[in-house]
Amino acid sequence: MSTIHVGIIGVGRIGHVHYLNLSQMPNVSIDYMCDLLADDSWADKYPAGGRFVTDYHEILADPAIDAVLICVPTDLHPQVIIDAAEAGKHIFCEKPVGFDNDQILAAYHAVKKAGVYFQTGFNRRQEKNFRRIVEARDAGQLGKPEVLKVTSRDPEPPSYDYVKRSGGLFKDMMIHDFDIVRFISGEEVRTVRAMGASLVDPHVGELGDVDTAIVTLEFASGMLGVIDNSRRAAYGYDQRIELFGSKGVAVCGNNHESETVVATADGVRRDLPLHFFLERYKEAYRLETEKFFDVVANGGEIECTFEDGIKAVRLAEAALESLNNGGAAVEVKPIE
Amino acid sequence: MSTIHVGIIGVGRIGHVHYLNLSQMPNVSIDYMCDLLADDSWADKYPAGGRFVTDYHEILADPAIDAVLICVPTDLHPQVIIDAAEAGKHIFCEKPVGFDNDQILAAYHAVKKAGVYFQTGFNRRQEKNFRRIVEARDAGQLGKPEVLKVTSRDPEPPSYDYVKRSGGLFKDMMIHDFDIVRFISGEEVRTVRAMGASLVDPHVGELGDVDTAIVTLEFASGMLGVIDNSRRAAYGYDQRIELFGSKGVAVCGNNHESETVVATADGVRRDLPLHFFLERYKEAYRLETEKFFDVVANGGEIECTFEDGIKAVRLAEAALESLNNGGAAVEVKPIE
Amino acid sequence: MSTIHVGIIGVGRIGHVHYLNLSQMPNVSIDYMCDLLADDSWADKYPAGGRFVTDYHEILADPAIDAVLICVPTDLHPQVIIDAAEAGKHIFCEKPVGFDNDQILAAYHAVKKAGVYFQTGFNRRQEKNFRRIVEARDAGQLGKPEVLKVTSRDPEPPSYDYVKRSGGLFKDMMIHDFDIVRFISGEEVRTVRAMGASLVDPHVGELGDVDTAIVTLEFASGMLGVIDNSRRAAYGYDQRIELFGSKGVAVCGNNHESETVVATADGVRRDLPLHFFLERYKEAYRLETEKFFDVVANGGEIECTFEDGIKAVRLAEAALESLNNGGAAVEVKPIE
Amino acid sequence: MSTIHVGIIGVGRIGHVHYLNLSQMPNVSIDYMCDLLADDSWADKYPAGGRFVTDYHEILADPAIDAVLICVPTDLHPQVIIDAAEAGKHIFCEKPVGFDNDQILAAYHAVKKAGVYFQTGFNRRQEKNFRRIVEARDAGQLGKPEVLKVTSRDPEPPSYDYVKRSGGLFKDMMIHDFDIVRFISGEEVRTVRAMGASLVDPHVGELGDVDTAIVTLEFASGMLGVIDNSRRAAYGYDQRIELFGSKGVAVCGNNHESETVVATADGVRRDLPLHFFLERYKEAYRLETEKFFDVVANGGEIECTFEDGIKAVRLAEAALESLNNGGAAVEVKPIE
């Protein structure tokens, strides 16, 4: 298997995760890492990082590069996608694919025109608990799906600065759940109804966002669904899914650091769930890039496409519109 | 403690449960059982049943009778309540307290005027798992409640005949959940939004009802809630509640006949949850009547009042109105 | 079904439990309660208790009495059994059936000669978790049994006075486990090896007893087994069984008051197991007497016989002999 | 951090595991892999494997080599250890350290004399569930330890050839448990009593070994312990530990591929535990070598020493002696 030459564009929290995973893949060579703050001193921190540049065009100009990982802030995604596609690079792009609809579509068309592989970074599709639910569904164990429930709670709220730039809870946080409901059900969502409030911190409301939300869904088949989100769970990251069907139900709880239970006079206790997404989805992050490079190397189907990325944005837009309309039913718009 | 003399009016499935529980209470004497089908041959089946009559007025006319249990079909509740109140009998009445609003209010006023004790038979308030959630809330372990989730699924759908007479899923089945959300949260619901479908059996839709529903709730404090119901769960009765707050979450699963787990080459398996409400709420049925008779004997506060019974009906009405209006937010009406 | 007339002989903790259960059985009449401390004032405490006597011969002399429950101290069991058998009464006797071997055999022969029903009060045979293991075994789900493990720990150690009169841990506490291993396996134990120590409280060792013990077992089929006991578990009553076979394993944990789990920043916690035997085996106590009276009324097989009672004593004797011989293998003696 | 140059001596199942882990460690260079079957064609399978040799002396003669991993058959361990120590190489050696006592001691003295680091490959000490038990113990949550229980069952029995060369169940399989009881308790074992049988396959008995065993332990503090082993568990690898103390108990179950539970009309089911040691202890294998190289690079204490390796052998020898003496108590011999 020949080596895939890669550049990582944007080295924040997620770019760092991808660096760690790629640096252990025998068939991947990280030739560039690009970040506004990057310089040669990064070689200590990123010994497998290749060259460190501040301008991603330098990466795109290198004909040896096969693929790029786009981990810059969301509002920059579309332009980098367009540039990378025009340079003929395969693209792995973090979620969400963008904020502005025209920009997203421009990027989408650039990718289609260039014919490069494009994967949206919805890492949760690789999580074993969730995939086990899909397996049960595909095996027919659950019969015809009728109700899908997703709970997603972060351990602690983000900073006000993050909230301001985030695009709002629906596009920043629930976007994962909007993708996962499509993945778990194998169906499209027809209509969305949303309610939300700033219960964790009233100031979030003053910033024009919510930190607690419940969204209900009607799927193409008639299946009903509900997602609940909170920006803060005192007991840690809480990510659970339940798919209920005519023949049964598949439910997954959280993952824990250990299975050990300690019973004392105070009660029967186990440790908290894995603290946050880097712990819970550690293996999922590795798998999603591994699969991407496998398709780049050997061809095949991208599991989470550009269309998937846009559809999640459409769901988030519909939820926001519903929230602004007192929870009225809003039809999910098509990609274009 | 002197003996309380009781008549059971209506001996269907629930009347039978109450008979069994009352017959084991040392301070309760069942002096009458009333049913359209009752006759003296019932003495074999109900050895502790006292006299068997077909007209409940006979019971009400007996000055020795302290209290009645009303277990007749729902549409008859208000009239029997009025008659019993006017006869000065304390009243335990099955849920829902009635279908017709004017009749319900007439009964309500009759009870207020008579000054008799009145308890609505929302047995689930006595269930240990659910009460443990309230204990955690009251102990401050959960902090300020923010999200309440209730799942309630029956093992199998009722007959078409039952569906026709039931008053619909919201008044017949979800009525329990409408009460339990008020009990678990200790708060009133302000607005309701409902979605529903006949996913289990399309014919239920032709009968004008739904068999699958998701209802979202806004509480007075701003807390959000969601209830999901299905008339059929292949794996048995599924009754779970989750109260999420600023400091933690309390979650309860189902009860099982045994704790035994069997692991073979096919998987790690435990038996299904307790099959249906008679099994799951067996002890709750006993406790609710025990507490009623305790108040009748010794005074004190009725835990589940007539007002509670009416408020659950108001929630069901709001949900039905929302369902008929595309899931629009509907404010819950006051008692009168 | 005609009424069975019963006398309860000995009204300590267990006699009280039996009173409560029998007083709710429609076909059982408690005609007498006998205790050294009994007098007519007991009618307040035991309204269904019939007459209160201090000499059990008074009960045995009453021809209306069908059966007696023997709940006196263990050393008195054999004499009361003999007297009751000679009076032609059916006998339910608490465990263990006695301490002194000659006395036990004399009682055994008296019962055989009289031809009355005799049940040993090993209530745990009725516990649902344990019976579910037997069901799995009988259904062939476990294949050929190979290893049986029993854990049994009390929440708190008994008083020194109790320890002195108890007959020692093997005859007083592990006697239950010696019976349950025969029940769960459906096999006889061939040899026993014991180790023990006074780890909870050294003074127990000075009294000639142990409070912590591990006993290993070889069964007739070659199956191996192990029982571990402790007189004190800080987290409450701990009663678990595991039967491992060629095709699988059946494991049961403890029962809890509720299924509710509370997760906070401190961990994920559930309440302690049911505190002690009166809570854990409440239903088992009821079932064992119900089944006894069913056989008395309708004939059939006693599920836990006099032989079962004696075999458990033989196992306890073998364990004690092994402990006194450095844990050497001791063959279990036959009944006589 | 400078690079550590390493040779892997013996490339069977475990040597392969170590190769995979080492090849991903940035500060470790695998310069040699040695195996009787090795040749240059191995470069395809082991691209990070350095040179492939059939004589380990070639590795020891290379002054660039810092450390070796010894993964050859157990009977060869002592000689390779001696040669490596004399060559001044740090040594990571698989368990058990050897079969023959004189050879083991010769190797032990050679290592002491050379002053090289030596780690015994008891990987389970790194398993998170087990370490969580030790954390609970060290934090005082369990109080004074009183009973330690270890269950260890393989998914399927090894081949007859393997059984013949294995040194027997105690030295081959339970050796892990003999080490883990010392690690979990932090104490030495004083006496051992063993019972065993060939219940899985009678032919194992004809080969002079057992496939099912229960061993009881007395620790220095008076704590009691029990280990049960089976060579076959139909439901997969079963590795559980329970440490019971004066203030509580810590219990760990097995790890599973997913947390997902599927409930259908057939029961409530989850998938089997992780199938075997390569899956269950995958991370533990990585951690043990990572820690070894950390000490080699930076100094510090080896967590699992040569003494630990020998003490586990002493326990296995005592168990075998006890088994051959009808389960009599056997004192564990000192290292020399």
Side-chain angles (χ1 to χ4, degrees):
Chain A
M1 187 167 48
S2 64
T3 298
I4 302 167
H5 294 272
V6 177
I8 299 176
I9 303 176
V11 189
R13 198 160 50 172
I14 297 302
H16 184 79
V17 169
H18 289 314
Y19 165 80
L20 290 175
N21 288 324
L22 268 59
S23 67
Q24 298 195 342
M25 293 180 186
N27 63 325
V28 170
S29 167
I30 307 173
D31 288 3
Y32 293 89
M33 293 180 80
C34 169
D35 196 88
L36 287 183
L37 305 172
D39 61 34
D40 287 351
S41 73
W42 281 33
D44 291 340
K45 198 174 163 192
Y46 298 113
R51 295 177 51 201
F52 304 95
V53 298
T54 55
D55 180 353
Y56 70 85
H57 296 91
E58 208 172 327
I59 303 176
L60 300 182
D62 185 338
I65 290 295
D66 300 303
V68 293
L69 274 69
I70 303 177
C71 313
V72 294
T74 299
D75 52 349
L76 305 178
H77 284 178
Q79 188 57 51
V80 183
I81 293 170
I82 290 169
D83 292 347
E86 289 179 351
K89 311 303 186 193
H90 302 298
I91 299 166
F92 177 100
C93 182
E94 275 305 314
K95 54 101 269 196
V97 289
F99 288 142
D100 180 88
N101 196 25
D102 289 341
Q103 291 178 10
I104 292 172
L105 287 178
Y108 177 60
H109 290 135
V111 166
K112 292 290 124 180
K113 186 174 166 198
V116 294
Y117 287 118
F118 184 99
Q119 183 172 324
T120 307
F122 281 123
N123 56 297
R124 294 185 194 175
R125 289 186 176 217
Q126 306 304 326
E127 209 259 356
K128 287 179 179 179
N129 294 338
F130 301 161
R131 290 184 87 85
R132 185 64 189 81
I133 296 177
V134 174
E135 283 172 36
R137 184 200 78 192
D138 287 347
Q141 291 180 286
L142 310 180
K144 182 173 65 71
E146 293 170 355
V147 178
L148 172 57
K149 296 166 69 178
V150 174
T151 291
S152 181
R153 296 169 185 153
D154 284 352
E156 53 233 4
S159 67
Y160 294 140
D161 272 354
Y162 183 92
V163 168
K164 284 179 213 165
R165 290 176 297 118
S166 71
L169 180 138
F170 295 126
K171 281 197 180 169
D172 176 61
M173 179 176 175
M174 201 180 280
I175 191 97
H176 276 296
D177 307 304
F178 287 131
D179 183 63
I180 210 76
V181 296
R182 294 182 57 248
F183 177 67
I184 296 290
S185 68
E187 282 190 41
E188 298 299 337
V189 179
R190 223 171 44 202
T191 59
V192 170
R193 293 172 179 86
M195 34 193 306
S198 51
L199 301 179
V200 174
D201 180 354
H203 188 55
V204 168
E206 292 161 18
L207 296 175
D209 201 0
V210 296
D211 54 27
T212 309
I214 296 181
V215 168
T216 55
L217 312 160
E218 280 178 299
F219 291 81
S221 71
M223 182 171 73
L224 305 180
V226 59
I227 301 167
D228 71 283
N229 270 194
S230 172
R231 284 284 196 185
R232 177 264 300 114
Y235 52 92
Y237 204 39
D238 192 357
Q239 304 271 306
R240 290 171 284 146
I241 296 182
E242 173 174 334
L243 181 59
F244 170 79
S246 57
K247 290 188 181 169
V249 69
V251 183
C252 81
N254 292 305
N255 289 94
H256 292 253
E257 179 79 5
S258 88
E259 297 295 309
T260 299
V261 170
V262 177
T264 65
D266 291 333
V268 180
R269 195 191 299 200
R270 72 177 306 187
D271 292 336
L272 293 178
L274 290 176
H275 182 62
F276 208 174
F277 65 99
L278 292 180
E279 291 84 12
R280 169 73 178 263
Y281 296 118
K282 185 180 177 182
E283 175 70 0
Y285 277 112
R286 197 185 63 71
L287 278 169
E288 65 170 356
T289 47
E290 187 176 278
K291 288 187 174 181
F292 171 69
F293 291 119
D294 184 51
V295 173
V296 167
N298 307 309
E301 292 289 316
I302 291 286
E303 204 174 284
C304 186
T305 63
F306 208 146
E307 286 83 356
D308 289 321
I310 301 176
K311 284 179 178 175
V313 174
R314 293 285 173 270
L315 280 159
E317 291 165 344
L320 190 58
E321 185 182 335
S322 174
L323 182 72
N324 292 335
N325 278 285
V330 172
E331 289 211 18
V332 182
K333 293 203 177 63
I335 288 181
E336 47 190 340
Chain B
M1 188 166 51
S2 65
T3 299
I4 301 166
H5 294 272
V6 178
I8 299 175
I9 302 175
V11 189
R13 199 162 48 169
I14 297 300
H16 183 79
V17 170
H18 290 313
Y19 165 81
L20 291 175
N21 288 324
L22 269 58
S23 67
Q24 297 194 343
M25 294 181 185
N27 64 324
V28 170
S29 167
I30 307 172
D31 289 2
Y32 294 89
M33 293 180 81
C34 169
D35 196 88
L36 287 184
L37 305 173
D39 63 35
D40 286 351
S41 74
W42 281 31
D44 291 339
K45 197 174 164 192
Y46 297 112
R51 295 178 50 200
F52 304 95
V53 299
T54 53
D55 181 351
Y56 69 86
H57 296 91
E58 208 172 328
I59 302 175
L60 301 182
D62 185 339
I65 289 295
D66 300 303
V68 292
L69 274 69
I70 303 178
C71 313
V72 293
T74 298
D75 53 348
L76 304 179
H77 284 176
Q79 189 57 52
V80 183
I81 293 169
I82 290 168
D83 292 346
E86 290 179 350
K89 311 304 186 193
H90 301 299
I91 298 165
F92 177 101
C93 181
E94 276 304 315
K95 53 100 280 199
V97 290
F99 287 142
D100 180 87
N101 195 27
D102 290 341
Q103 290 178 9
I104 291 172
L105 287 178
Y108 177 59
H109 292 136
V111 165
K112 292 291 126 178
K113 186 175 166 198
V116 295
Y117 287 118
F118 184 98
Q119 183 172 322
T120 307
F122 281 123
N123 55 297
R124 293 184 196 177
R125 290 186 175 216
Q126 307 304 325
E127 209 258 356
K128 286 178 179 179
N129 294 338
F130 301 161
R131 291 184 87 85
R132 185 66 189 79
I133 295 176
V134 174
E135 282 172 35
R137 185 201 76 192
D138 288 347
Q141 293 180 285
L142 311 180
K144 182 173 65 72
E146 294 171 354
V147 177
L148 172 57
K149 297 166 68 178
V150 175
T151 292
S152 180
R153 296 169 186 152
D154 284 351
E156 54 232 4
S159 67
Y160 295 139
D161 272 354
Y162 183 92
V163 169
K164 285 179 210 164
R165 288 175 300 116
S166 70
L169 179 138
F170 295 125
K171 283 197 180 170
D172 175 61
M173 179 177 175
M174 202 181 280
I175 191 95
H176 275 296
D177 306 304
F178 287 131
D179 183 63
I180 211 76
V181 296
R182 294 182 58 248
F183 177 68
I184 296 289
S185 68
E187 283 189 42
E188 298 300 336
V189 179
R190 226 172 44 205
T191 58
V192 170
R193 293 172 179 86
M195 30 191 310
S198 51
L199 301 179
V200 176
D201 179 354
H203 187 55
V204 168
E206 293 160 18
L207 296 175
D209 200 0
V210 295
D211 54 28
T212 308
I214 295 180
V215 169
T216 55
L217 311 161
E218 278 178 299
F219 291 80
S221 71
M223 182 171 75
L224 305 180
V226 59
I227 301 167
D228 71 281
N229 271 192
S230 172
R231 285 285 196 185
R232 177 265 297 116
Y235 52 92
Y237 203 41
D238 192 357
Q239 305 273 302
R240 289 172 285 147
I241 295 182
E242 173 175 334
L243 182 59
F244 170 79
S246 57
K247 291 188 180 167
V249 70
V251 183
C252 82
N254 292 306
N255 289 96
H256 292 253
E257 180 78 5
S258 89
E259 296 296 309
T260 299
V261 169
V262 177
T264 66
D266 291 333
V268 179
R269 195 191 300 200
R270 71 177 305 188
D271 292 337
L272 293 178
L274 291 175
H275 181 63
F276 208 174
F277 66 98
L278 292 179
E279 292 83 11
R280 169 73 177 264
Y281 296 118
K282 184 180 178 183
E283 176 69 0
Y285 276 114
R286 197 186 64 71
L287 278 170
E288 65 169 357
T289 47
E290 187 176 277
K291 289 187 174 181
F292 171 69
F293 291 120
D294 183 51
V295 173
V296 167
N298 306 309
E301 292 288 317
I302 290 286
E303 206 174 283
C304 188
T305 64
F306 208 146
E307 286 83 356
D308 289 321
I310 301 176
K311 284 178 178 175
V313 174
R314 292 286 173 271
L315 280 159
E317 291 165 345
L320 191 57
E321 186 182 333
S322 174
L323 182 72
N324 292 336
N325 279 285
V330 173
E331 289 211 18
V332 182
K333 293 203 178 61
I335 288 181
E336 46 191 339
Chain C
M1 186 168 48
S2 64
T3 299
I4 302 166
H5 294 272
V6 177
I8 299 175
I9 302 175
V11 189
R13 198 161 48 172
I14 298 301
H16 183 79
V17 169
H18 290 313
Y19 165 79
L20 291 176
N21 288 324
L22 269 59
S23 67
Q24 297 195 343
M25 293 181 185
N27 65 325
V28 170
S29 166
I30 307 172
D31 289 4
Y32 293 89
M33 294 180 82
C34 170
D35 196 88
L36 287 183
L37 305 172
D39 61 34
D40 287 350
S41 73
W42 282 32
D44 291 340
K45 197 174 163 191
Y46 297 111
R51 294 176 52 201
F52 304 95
V53 299
T54 54
D55 181 350
Y56 70 85
H57 296 92
E58 210 172 325
I59 303 175
L60 301 182
D62 184 339
I65 290 294
D66 300 301
V68 292
L69 274 70
I70 302 177
C71 313
V72 294
T74 299
D75 53 348
L76 305 178
H77 284 178
Q79 189 58 51
V80 183
I81 293 169
I82 291 168
D83 292 346
E86 290 179 351
K89 311 303 186 193
H90 302 297
I91 299 166
F92 176 100
C93 182
E94 275 305 314
K95 54 102 273 198
V97 290
F99 289 142
D100 181 87
N101 196 27
D102 289 342
Q103 290 179 10
I104 291 171
L105 288 178
Y108 177 59
H109 291 136
V111 166
K112 293 288 125 179
K113 187 175 165 197
V116 294
Y117 287 118
F118 184 99
Q119 183 173 323
T120 307
F122 282 123
N123 54 296
R124 295 186 194 175
R125 290 187 175 214
Q126 307 303 325
E127 209 258 355
K128 286 179 180 180
N129 294 338
F130 301 162
R131 291 183 86 86
R132 185 65 188 81
I133 296 176
V134 174
E135 283 171 35
R137 184 200 78 193
D138 288 347
Q141 292 180 285
L142 310 180
K144 182 173 65 72
E146 293 171 355
V147 178
L148 172 58
K149 297 166 69 177
V150 175
T151 292
S152 180
R153 296 169 185 151
D154 285 352
E156 54 233 4
S159 67
Y160 295 140
D161 273 355
Y162 183 93
V163 169
K164 286 178 208 165
R165 289 174 299 117
S166 71
L169 180 138
F170 295 126
K171 282 196 179 170
D172 175 60
M173 181 178 173
M174 201 180 281
I175 190 99
H176 276 295
D177 306 304
F178 287 131
D179 183 63
I180 210 75
V181 297
R182 294 182 57 250
F183 177 68
I184 296 290
S185 68
E187 282 190 42
E188 298 300 336
V189 179
R190 225 170 45 203
T191 59
V192 170
R193 292 170 179 88
M195 30 190 314
S198 50
L199 301 180
V200 175
D201 179 354
H203 187 54
V204 168
E206 293 160 18
L207 296 175
D209 201 359
V210 295
D211 54 28
T212 308
I214 295 180
V215 169
T216 54
L217 311 161
E218 280 178 299
F219 290 81
S221 70
M223 181 171 74
L224 305 180
V226 60
I227 301 167
D228 70 283
N229 271 194
S230 172
R231 284 285 197 184
R232 178 265 299 116
Y235 52 92
Y237 204 41
D238 192 357
Q239 304 272 304
R240 289 172 286 147
I241 296 182
E242 172 175 334
L243 182 59
F244 169 80
S246 57
K247 291 189 180 167
V249 70
V251 183
C252 81
N254 292 306
N255 290 95
H256 293 253
E257 180 78 7
S258 88
E259 295 296 310
T260 298
V261 170
V262 177
T264 66
D266 290 334
V268 180
R269 196 192 299 201
R270 71 179 304 188
D271 292 337
L272 294 178
L274 290 174
H275 181 63
F276 208 175
F277 66 98
L278 292 180
E279 292 83 13
R280 169 73 178 264
Y281 297 118
K282 184 179 178 184
E283 176 70 359
Y285 276 114
R286 196 186 65 71
L287 277 170
E288 67 170 356
T289 48
E290 186 176 277
K291 289 187 174 181
F292 171 68
F293 291 119
D294 183 51
V295 173
V296 167
N298 307 310
E301 292 289 317
I302 291 285
E303 203 174 285
C304 186
T305 64
F306 208 146
E307 287 82 356
D308 289 321
I310 302 175
K311 285 178 177 175
V313 174
R314 293 286 174 271
L315 280 159
E317 291 165 345
L320 191 58
E321 186 182 333
S322 174
L323 182 73
N324 292 335
N325 280 285
V330 172
E331 290 211 16
V332 182
K333 293 202 178 62
I335 288 181
E336 47 189 339
Chain D
M1 185 167 51
S2 64
T3 298
I4 302 166
H5 294 271
V6 178
I8 299 175
I9 303 175
V11 189
R13 197 160 50 169
I14 296 301
H16 183 79
V17 169
H18 290 314
Y19 165 80
L20 290 175
N21 289 323
L22 270 58
S23 67
Q24 298 195 342
M25 294 180 186
N27 65 325
V28 170
S29 165
I30 307 173
D31 289 2
Y32 294 90
M33 293 181 80
C34 168
D35 196 87
L36 287 183
L37 305 172
D39 62 35
D40 286 350
S41 74
W42 281 33
D44 292 340
K45 198 174 163 191
Y46 298 112
R51 295 178 50 201
F52 303 94
V53 298
T54 54
D55 181 351
Y56 69 87
H57 296 89
E58 208 172 328
I59 303 176
L60 301 182
D62 185 340
I65 289 293
D66 300 303
V68 293
L69 274 69
I70 303 178
C71 312
V72 294
T74 299
D75 52 348
L76 305 178
H77 283 178
Q79 189 57 52
V80 183
I81 293 169
I82 291 168
D83 293 346
E86 291 178 350
K89 311 303 187 194
H90 302 299
I91 299 165
F92 177 100
C93 181
E94 275 305 313
K95 53 98 268 191
V97 289
F99 287 143
D100 181 87
N101 195 28
D102 289 341
Q103 291 178 8
I104 291 172
L105 287 178
Y108 177 60
H109 291 135
V111 165
K112 293 289 125 180
K113 187 175 165 197
V116 295
Y117 287 118
F118 184 99
Q119 183 172 322
T120 308
F122 282 124
N123 55 297
R124 294 186 195 176
R125 289 185 176 217
Q126 307 304 327
E127 208 259 355
K128 286 178 180 181
N129 294 338
F130 301 162
R131 289 183 89 85
R132 184 65 188 81
I133 295 176
V134 174
E135 283 171 34
R137 184 200 78 193
D138 287 347
Q141 292 180 287
L142 311 180
K144 183 172 65 71
E146 293 171 355
V147 178
L148 172 57
K149 297 166 68 178
V150 175
T151 292
S152 181
R153 295 168 185 153
D154 284 351
E156 53 233 5
S159 67
Y160 293 139
D161 272 355
Y162 183 93
V163 168
K164 284 178 211 164
R165 290 174 299 117
S166 70
L169 179 139
F170 295 125
K171 283 197 181 170
D172 175 62
M173 179 177 176
M174 201 181 281
I175 191 96
H176 276 295
D177 307 303
F178 287 131
D179 182 65
I180 210 75
V181 297
R182 294 182 59 250
F183 176 68
I184 296 289
S185 68
E187 284 190 41
E188 299 298 337
V189 179
R190 226 172 44 206
T191 59
V192 170
R193 293 171 178 86
M195 34 192 306
S198 50
L199 300 180
V200 175
D201 179 354
H203 186 55
V204 168
E206 291 160 19
L207 296 174
D209 200 0
V210 296
D211 53 29
T212 307
I214 295 181
V215 168
T216 55
L217 312 160
E218 279 178 300
F219 290 81
S221 71
M223 183 172 72
L224 305 180
V226 60
I227 300 166
D228 71 282
N229 271 193
S230 173
R231 284 284 196 186
R232 177 266 298 114
Y235 51 93
Y237 203 40
D238 192 356
Q239 303 272 304
R240 288 172 287 148
I241 296 183
E242 172 175 334
L243 181 60
F244 169 80
S246 57
K247 291 188 181 168
V249 69
V251 184
C252 81
N254 292 307
N255 290 96
H256 292 253
E257 180 79 5
S258 88
E259 296 296 310
T260 299
V261 170
V262 177
T264 65
D266 290 334
V268 180
R269 195 192 300 201
R270 71 178 302 187
D271 292 336
L272 293 179
L274 291 175
H275 182 63
F276 208 174
F277 65 98
L278 292 180
E279 291 85 12
R280 170 73 176 265
Y281 296 118
K282 183 180 180 183
E283 175 70 359
Y285 277 113
R286 196 185 65 71
L287 278 170
E288 65 168 358
T289 47
E290 186 176 278
K291 289 186 174 182
F292 171 69
F293 291 118
D294 184 51
V295 173
V296 167
N298 307 307
E301 292 289 316
I302 290 285
E303 204 175 285
C304 187
T305 64
F306 207 146
E307 287 84 355
D308 290 321
I310 301 176
K311 284 177 178 177
V313 174
R314 292 287 173 270
L315 279 160
E317 291 165 345
L320 190 58
E321 185 182 333
S322 174
L323 182 72
N324 292 335
N325 278 284
V330 172
E331 289 211 16
V332 182
K333 294 204 179 59
I335 289 181
E336 46 191 338

